Amino acid sequence: MVPVGFSILYSFIFPSSEDCIRNSRVKIMYIVESKGGAIVCMLLALLFLGTWPALITLLERRGRLPQHTYLDYTITNLLAAVIIALTFGQIGDSTVERPNFFTQLSQDNWSSVLFAMAGGVVLSLGNLSTQYAWAFVGLSVVEVISSSMTVVIGTTLNYFLDGKINKAEILFPGVGCFLVAVCLASAVHSSNAADYKAKLSSWPIDNETGKGTVLSSASEEAVLKDRENGGGPIRKAKAGTATFLIELEKRRSIKVFGKSMFIGLTLTFFAGVCFSLFSPAFNLATNDQWHTLKEGVPKLVVYTAFFYFSVSCFIIALVLNISFLYHPALGVSKSSFKAYLKDWNGRGWAFLAGFLCGFGNGLQFMGGQAAGYAAADAVQALPLVSTFWGVVLFGEYRRSSRRTYILLFGMLFMFIAAVGILMASSGHRK
């Protein structure tokens, strides 16, 4: 018996005989239209979008400046959109209803283009915010809160924009699961912060002055000096221990000891609002629900819209990060464009992160155009992937309390339920 997943993937890649006969007559642009194809796109997007944040976090923890990393990331993020536009966007003959990429560049479709570019702007701001938030509250919690806000707000907007093609009786219980996941994520954050404080208090240092913070800067310097003078073991610290947390602080580029975690949560919620808006904006760009296009002008094909979306994302990221080189935020070290060009340490990982994010967003939009953007928000279950990388690569939640583990597993269970329910609500766009 052939597995269901393999059957879906096979039918997505290899069209039926009827499709082959139809396409042999007129070679039209390839667009994902089947429900099975849309689900494959969503699953691949889930994997890509859950992995790239781990690569960015890895570089920050190794001491690479976030401005350098994000500039590298944004180059390949745009390149991914260009590759998609020049391949999928140019396959087949250009028709009136489905013009190819180059044809649409010269059409009078600027109202839709502006919606696509607005989506790119808010996504860029959201991604930039999370890059700093990951350092303060951890990869897992940031992804859970921002993704859940995206689903609760963005999915609701997309449901009405898509003309209710998704099954509401299935869709909104899935949204409810994401909402519960947000509450559990906040509880996980609070419990894990308490665990950190307990671990750090095990050091023979007075931490009273660090009340309300991760650890006071004076305490940090004292501990590091003690270790340099032979006051602690030379061996590599085990993940989750106080020594591990202190050595990580010494190495990383965004210093968090002595700073309130409220900064990280503020950045996280701001990112969540931004992420809630980029998908509805893209939906308006490709489907023109507000009828802003002139009569006779075709709607933007998903590949063209994604190109404009990525261009605006690139411009915003470029301007802000070049500014941050000379005027850094949150105590990050100052740099220069010359120093950035010379910094090849970890550049390959940053480039890979940009490709993963770019192709992940493209696959999400391809699936959303076929099955509804509300259902495509199932890819916001990316914390399932991010949490896996957070535990494996960064030792998050190692040696935490039993309460933290129970809340963490509850949070992940709600995500698994949510992604299954949202995918089950998939409709079919006419």
Side-chain angles (χ1 to χ4, degrees):
M1 184 175 180
V2 180
V4 175
F6 180 80
S7 299
I8 293 175
L9 182 60
Y10 184 89
S11 62
F12 171 64
I13 298 174
F14 302 101
S16 64
S17 58
E18 291 82 359
D19 291 335
C20 291
I21 293 172
R22 183 175 66 252
N23 292 336
S24 65
R25 296 169 185 163
V26 180
K27 293 182 179 179
I28 60 174
M29 180 188 300
Y30 181 74
I31 299 284
V32 178
E33 293 181 325
S34 68
K35 189 174 180 179
I39 291 176
V40 170
C41 286
M42 293 178 205
L43 290 174
L44 288 174
L46 175 61
L47 175 63
F48 292 171
L49 294 176
T51 300
W52 79 265
L55 299 178
I56 301 291
T57 303
L58 177 66
L59 294 176
E60 185 275 322
R61 289 186 172 214
R62 287 181 175 180
R64 193 168 196 250
L65 291 178
Q67 309 97 303
H68 293 187
T69 298
Y70 207 81
L71 283 169
D72 288 336
Y73 150 88
T74 198
I75 292 171
T76 48
N77 186 59
L78 174 62
L79 185 56
V82 173
I83 292 172
I84 290 174
L86 295 180
T87 52
F88 288 108
Q90 283 295 118
I91 293 176
D93 298 327
S94 182
T95 64
V96 175
E97 292 185 354
R98 290 182 180 175
N100 63 28
F101 172 64
F102 286 127
T103 301
Q104 285 214 303
L105 290 180
S106 60
Q107 292 179 338
D108 186 13
N109 47 26
W110 278 102
S111 57
S112 292
V113 168
L114 290 176
F115 278 123
M117 297 187 78
V121 169
V122 291
L123 178 65
S124 186
L125 292 174
N127 282 340
L128 190 59
S129 299
T130 55
Q131 183 179 216
Y132 290 89
W134 291 327
F136 285 91
V137 292
L139 179 64
S140 304
V141 173
V142 171
E143 295 302 313
V144 168
I145 294 176
S146 60
S147 296
S148 299
M149 289 180 65
T150 302
V151 169
V152 173
I153 301 172
T155 300
T156 304
L157 293 174
N158 278 322
Y159 172 73
F160 291 103
L161 286 174
D162 279 335
K164 305 179 182 180
I165 64 174
N166 299 101
K167 303 168 185 174
E169 65 276 12
I170 300 177
L171 178 70
F172 287 106
V175 173
C177 289
F178 272 100
L179 189 58
V180 172
V182 170
C183 299
L184 288 173
S186 298
V188 169
H189 165 67
S190 177
S191 180
N192 201 40
D195 293 342
Y196 273 23
K197 187 175 182 180
K199 292 171 187 175
L200 294 170
S201 65
S202 65
W203 282 87
I205 295 171
D206 182 12
N207 286 332
E208 289 300 319
T209 57
K211 187 176 181 181
T213 64
V214 182
L215 185 69
S216 68
S217 57
S219 298
E220 174 204 354
E221 292 173 3
V223 172
L224 293 175
K225 185 175 181 181
D226 178 62
R227 288 186 54 73
E228 290 170 359
N229 293 333
I234 302 301
R235 66 182 181 275
K236 183 179 179 181
K238 293 183 179 180
T241 63
T243 305
F244 174 83
L245 297 175
I246 293 167
E247 290 184 348
L248 171 62
E249 176 72 5
K250 182 180 179 181
R251 203 169 51 241
R252 73 190 317 163
S253 59
I254 303 175
K255 307 300 183 184
V256 298
F257 280 6
K259 297 177 183 176
S260 173
M261 286 191 175
F262 178 75
I263 297 173
L265 288 176
T266 301
L267 290 171
T268 301
F269 280 102
F270 173 75
V273 173
C274 291
F275 292 153
S276 301
L277 300 176
F278 83 85
S279 182
F282 194 90
N283 194 348
L284 286 166
T286 54
N287 294 296
D288 192 36
Q289 291 93 334
W290 292 352
H291 308 291
T292 58
L293 289 173
K294 295 179 181 179
E295 187 175 351
V297 178
K299 299 173 184 177
L300 280 186
V301 176
V302 63
Y303 312 121
T304 308
F306 184 49
F307 170 75
Y308 284 115
F309 174 93
S310 299
V311 167
S312 65
C313 193
F314 172 80
I315 293 172
I316 293 296
L318 189 68
V319 172
L320 290 178
N321 279 281
I322 289 178
S323 174
F324 287 158
L325 286 175
Y326 300 95
H327 307 284
L330 300 175
V332 175
S333 299
K334 193 174 182 180
S335 184
S336 65
F337 195 72
K338 184 178 180 180
Y340 157 69
L341 293 176
K342 291 182 178 180
D343 181 12
W344 285 89
N345 182 25
R347 176 157 284 164
W349 289 114
F351 283 155
L352 177 59
F355 274 125
L356 288 173
C357 184
F359 285 117
N361 284 330
L363 287 165
Q364 176 187 353
F365 295 143
M366 289 165 67
Q369 189 63 19
Y373 286 94
D377 282 336
V379 304
Q380 295 302 327
L382 55 91
L384 287 172
V385 183
S386 295
T387 299
F388 170 78
W389 291 123
V391 172
V392 172
L393 292 180
F394 313 129
E396 289 187 2
Y397 306 112
R398 298 280 179 90
R399 294 173 175 80
S400 292
S401 64
R402 182 180 179 183
R403 180 174 183 269
T404 298
Y405 285 134
I406 291 173
L407 290 170
L408 178 64
F409 285 125
M411 177 190 78
L412 294 176
F413 174 78
M414 294 307 298
F415 264 113
I416 292 171
V419 69
I421 293 172
L422 256 66
M423 285 189 177
S425 75
S426 298
H428 188 271
R429 192 182 303 280
K430 296 181 180 178

